[in-house]
Amino acid sequence: MTPAARLQAAIDILDRILSGTPAEQALTGWARNSRFAGAKDRAAIRDHVFDCLRCKRSFAHLGGAESGRGLVLGLLRAQGIDPEPLFTGQAYAPAALTAEDMRQPANAMSDTIALDCPDWIADDLRRSLGLNFPAVLQALQERAPVYLRANLARTTRAQAARLLEHDGIITKPHPLAGTALEVVENARRVRQSDAFTTGLVELQDAASQAVVNAVPLTDGARVLDYCAGGGGKSLALAARGAHVTAHDANPARMKDIPQRAQRAGARIDMTQTPEGLFDIVVTDVPCSGSGSWRRAPAGKWSLDRAALESLLQVQGEILKQAAGHLKPGGVLCYMTCSLLDVENADQVTRFLAHAPQFSPVAQKQFTPLDGGDGFFLAVLQHSG
């Protein structure tokens, strides 16, 4: 495909997403119906689509419309590329530029448009991030790095890096976690690499690794991963020597755990009804996902005030339920991938106000300025 044809494909996919189709579904549907597209074409188109979703407000401003065409025009203009040689209408290229396309924006960008921040949540983010608000929002406009977790139950970080290098994948250690490797070359080869297929590394954000490593774990501790999802944190906890039981309100989310655990050489029990009491209960609760908007940018635009309020109710209820599975003297770990105080420190304060048997032990907040996604961890000790 020509560069111009790739842009037209991105326009078509973006129009589907803007009409309500989930991003991954739109991308997969296009690829299924476009067998002529090679791997490099699909990768380039995917990059165009996600670049436009991350910067939807600013690109729509630059491109003159919140449409696939407008966003792609905004993408090119943001990159300093003249769209006219690419928008020709020939050989599957986007249609030639019109007078409307050429019209300059009537108004200057506001700060929230320039930062691709929804207006309704801007004040919440300012309160939570303080002086870091502009820098964090700018970081969320960029592509996220690719991070791997070295499975220290079976290898070392250095050995994993050497094995990856044999497959042409270049990494460097990341300071957020002793298990973290940042992929600096050939990230798209990771899933086919020997290190990945044999379970020596897993894809996992560096800040996510950091919060798992901050769980006060003793070897052999019984741990309940109460909101396990795909099992990334369950696997990381098992690699640290925990006996992990995975649970999720939607068991379908855990369907990949058995295969991932087998690959990693880990044992993870799965249950819909946790039995007995645990030394540690980990709750990576449903949240706004604001800390990972650069990875899942559609979530930034679909979230609204009502959805956030609903999430706060769910988070509070999960904390209460999870606490009931903890043995006296045990540790409750509350986690989110949110940047918002209302989901993080404020949520913990509300819980502690009605649970005097718990006391705070530690609290950590990561933002993209630390290198990984935005993550929050609170460690709460039961008095016993």
Side-chain angles (χ1 to χ4, degrees), residues 52-85:
C52 288
L53 291 177
R54 275 186 286 268
C55 300
K56 188 174 78 167
R57 290 194 78 186
S58 61
F59 286 3
H61 183 93
L62 292 170
E66 192 175 298
S67 63
R69 183 179 175 88
L71 293 179
V72 168
L73 278 170
L75 167 67
L76 295 175
R77 287 168 178 160
Q79 294 176 340
I81 298 172
D82 180 4
E84 190 168 6

Side-chain angles (χ1 to χ4, degrees), residues 2 7 9 18 22 28 60 80-81 103 105 117 120 122 125 135 168 192 197 234 237 240 277 332 342 349 365 381-382:
T2 65
L7 293 175
L18 293 170
T28 301
I81 298 172
R103 184 173 292 123
C117 180
W120 71 269
L125 285 167
Q192 286 73 48
T197 58
S234 292
L237 289 162
R240 292 186 59 200
L277 300 178
L332 178 62
V342 71
T349 298
Q365 175 75 68
Q381 178 81 50
H382 191 284

Side-chain angles (χ1 to χ4, degrees), residues 242-257:
H243 293 166
V244 180
T245 298
H247 165 274
D248 200 280
N250 181 356
R253 296 191 190 109
M254 301 192 294
K255 62 182 176 61
D256 294 332
I257 291 180

